Amino acid sequence: MDSPQRISVVGTSGSGKTTLAKQISQRLTIPHVELDYLHWQPNWVEVPNDVMREKLSQALSGNSWVVDGNYSMVRDIVWGKADTVVWLDYSFPVVISRVVWRTFQRVVKQQEVCNGNRETWKTTFSRDSIILWALQTYHKNRRQYALLLQKPEYAHLNIVHLRSPASAQNWLSLIPTYYE
């Protein structure tokens, strides 16, 4: 297997996109781009779409990178330049348990999400809750990715469809590193 060089990691909230993207980045020694960092300014202020698109175009100007995130406003840029899409398509119980555990860990430990932003108890139990977002978007995202990845404009992509955390770790272990 040749090593992928321009990789997009997608999946519903809580599936482990950032964690896997960091692992891919370390294994292949390529830059890691988190779309959340490009999208969210301090105090959870969203950047305008044109600014995000410009930041992303600059971040992906190199020959190799791994990007994680599901922002449809930049999908054409990411997937247009990517050679591989890794779809983390885990079961509902796995995703929901992960997003709940991660949220509570972040709130209790006051871990930064991105650009100084943190999750709070108030947001956890509000309409802005990432847990609520995951509950509302899980099934829609799965249907959407199944359809998107079949479109002719994405025929150039190597699709890696992973259905469990164990399969993700197995796939990662099979990627040849630069030194192998």
Side-chain angles (χ1 to χ4, degrees):
M1 165 167 81
D2 288 334
S3 292
Q5 293 300 305
R6 293 174 309 283
I7 307 152
S8 173
V9 180
V10 299
T12 193
S13 297
S15 59
K17 295 179 298 293
T18 301
T19 299
L20 183 62
K22 284 178 183 175
Q23 292 170 332
I24 293 167
S25 170
Q26 291 169 352
R27 181 154 180 91
L28 296 176
T29 60
I30 60 176
H32 173 214
V33 178
E34 286 185 65
L35 293 183
D36 282 344
Y37 272 91
L38 300 179
H39 182 74
W40 294 107
Q41 296 176 343
N43 300 312
W44 296 108
V45 173
E46 295 179 82
V47 301
N49 289 356
D50 60 328
V51 172
M52 183 170 175
R53 289 177 64 84
E54 180 58 33
K55 285 181 175 183
L56 180 63
S57 291
Q58 291 173 5
L60 302 186
S61 63
N63 291 327
S64 56
W65 39 261
V66 57
V67 136
D68 72 78
N70 294 319
Y71 291 87
S72 59
M73 75 193 73
V74 295
R75 184 180 301 123
D76 62 318
I77 297 171
V78 177
W79 287 13
K81 294 182 176 193
D83 58 39
T84 302
V85 169
V86 178
W87 177 20
L88 302 181
D89 184 22
Y90 301 163
S91 71
F92 185 76
V94 167
V95 168
I96 294 305
S97 65
R98 282 179 159 203
V99 80
V100 167
W101 176 250
R102 180 188 74 186
T103 300
F104 284 104
Q105 288 285 100
R106 285 177 172 175
V107 171
V108 168
K109 295 180 179 180
Q110 280 298 289
Q111 295 173 336
E112 180 180 331
V113 177
C114 63
N115 293 323
N117 295 310
R118 297 181 188 326
E119 294 181 43
T120 65
W121 290 117
K122 183 179 177 182
T123 56
T124 299
F125 295 104
S126 76
R127 64 180 178 83
D128 295 325
S129 168
I130 191 68
I131 298 168
L132 182 59
W133 174 259
L135 288 167
Q136 292 172 334
T137 60
Y138 175 82
H139 294 290
K140 178 186 74 123
N141 284 343
R142 288 186 79 207
R143 284 190 304 271
Q144 179 185 28
Y145 280 116
L147 295 172
L148 279 170
L149 293 169
Q150 294 177 25
K151 289 189 168 196
E153 59 264 39
Y154 304 127
H156 70 283
L157 294 168
N158 175 34
I159 309 301
V160 180
H161 188 177
L162 302 170
R163 292 180 172 90
S164 72
S167 65
Q169 290 308 302
N170 183 54
W171 174 79
L172 182 66
S173 73
L174 297 174
I175 299 174
T177 65
Y178 177 77
Y179 301 104
E180 288 180 350

